[in-house]
Amino acid sequence: MRDKAILYDATLCTACRACQVACKQWNENQAVKTTNQGSYENPPSLTPETWLKIEFREVEREGKLAWLFSRRACMHCTDAACVKVCPTGALSYNKLGFVQYEKDKCSGCGYCAEFCPFGVPQLESNKITGAAVMSKCTFCKDRVTNGEQPACAAACPTGAIKFGKRTELVQEGRERVAALHQTNPQAVFYGDKELGGLHVMYVLDDAPEVYE
């Protein structure tokens, strides 16, 4: 009952990327060069310095092009492959439900990156020593354990990213999709049961595979 989660509603997202900027700013991660194309490749991908990315898809609907937006970052799985394979305890479950990460314990083995079904953990290697270390979204542990929202949720201007009790967000996600079904039968609520239940859940206006 103490579990906290994030609900991302793609139908409310305008792809303003305020969440990306807030994530970078709060975590003091370096900026990366992007192009002003408004495309799927902006920024190119998750990296050790980019933990959250808003992605674009162009799809055809009823003969017209439509934009689909989605959020890519750690899903904070309840049954997390990364936690299972981490040999050092760098990855573990926080009592609030999310997957926490202690970077100073990371051995750079890369098992988390290999086994994560979402391709989230990013390894960075020292060019001289070859030593590696992983980086990923931390769920803003320093904020949420002190009663604050994650930086991405706090920055979202449209309410597309919501933070709160997981049970309440599950109910909200189900109700939102039920309402969307009146005009869009393709709408999906994703994350309620997958991998034991995700702590980042999605209201999507199309099937999950469309966003891959």
Side-chain angles (χ1 to χ4, degrees):
M1 294 297 292
R2 297 185 64 187
D3 276 10
K4 298 293 187 180
I6 287 171
L7 177 65
Y8 169 75
D9 189 337
T11 68
L12 299 178
C13 181
T14 62
C16 69
R17 297 191 174 108
C19 56
Q20 287 184 186
V21 174
C23 179
K24 289 271 190 183
Q25 184 180 44
W26 181 257
N27 294 291
E28 299 182 347
N29 288 340
Q30 294 181 6
V32 295
K33 185 176 182 180
T34 61
T35 57
N36 189 23
Q37 299 297 318
S39 69
Y40 169 79
E41 297 297 331
N42 191 5
S45 64
L46 296 180
T47 71
E49 296 288 342
T50 300
W51 300 349
L52 184 157
K53 175 186 175 182
I54 296 297
E55 296 185 342
F56 289 65
R57 297 287 190 283
E58 270 193 358
V59 298
E60 186 173 336
R61 286 181 168 174
E62 299 178 354
K64 298 180 181 180
L65 287 178
W67 278 355
L68 297 182
F69 304 138
S70 63
R71 177 188 194 272
R72 188 175 177 209
C74 181
M75 305 291 241
H76 295 280
C77 313
T78 297
D79 185 16
C82 62
V83 174
K84 288 182 176 180
V85 301
C86 180
T88 65
L91 291 160
S92 62
Y93 299 111
N94 186 274
K95 64 182 181 181
L96 296 180
F98 60 89
V99 175
Q100 61 189 5
Y101 175 50
E102 297 174 80
K103 197 169 187 175
D104 59 346
K105 291 184 178 180
C106 180
S107 66
C109 67
Y111 292 156
C112 57
E114 181 179 354
F115 286 94
C116 174
F118 302 108
V120 167
Q122 301 293 309
L123 288 173
E124 182 176 26
S125 299
N126 186 298
K127 294 181 180 179
I128 298 175
T129 66
V133 68
M134 186 271 285
S135 290
K136 76 168 191 71
C137 163
T138 64
F139 208 78
C140 285
K141 178 182 176 180
D142 52 347
R143 293 176 62 92
V144 301
T145 56
N146 285 288
E148 300 284 345
Q149 298 185 77
C152 59
C156 181
T158 65
I161 302 175
K162 288 188 175 181
F163 171 74
K165 294 180 180 179
R166 189 177 187 279
T167 51
E168 294 177 359
L169 293 179
V170 166
Q171 183 63 28
E172 182 173 341
R174 290 173 178 170
E175 291 174 355
R176 175 66 175 154
V177 168
L180 289 170
H181 279 169
Q182 296 180 20
T183 56
N184 178 17
Q186 285 78 36
V188 172
F189 179 44
Y190 180 80
D192 182 9
K193 304 296 184 183
E194 287 79 6
L195 295 173
L198 306 180
H199 286 76
V200 178
M201 300 174 291
Y202 291 69
V203 172
L204 301 174
D205 49 6
D206 214 321
E209 52 267 26
V210 174
Y211 293 83
E212 294 178 354

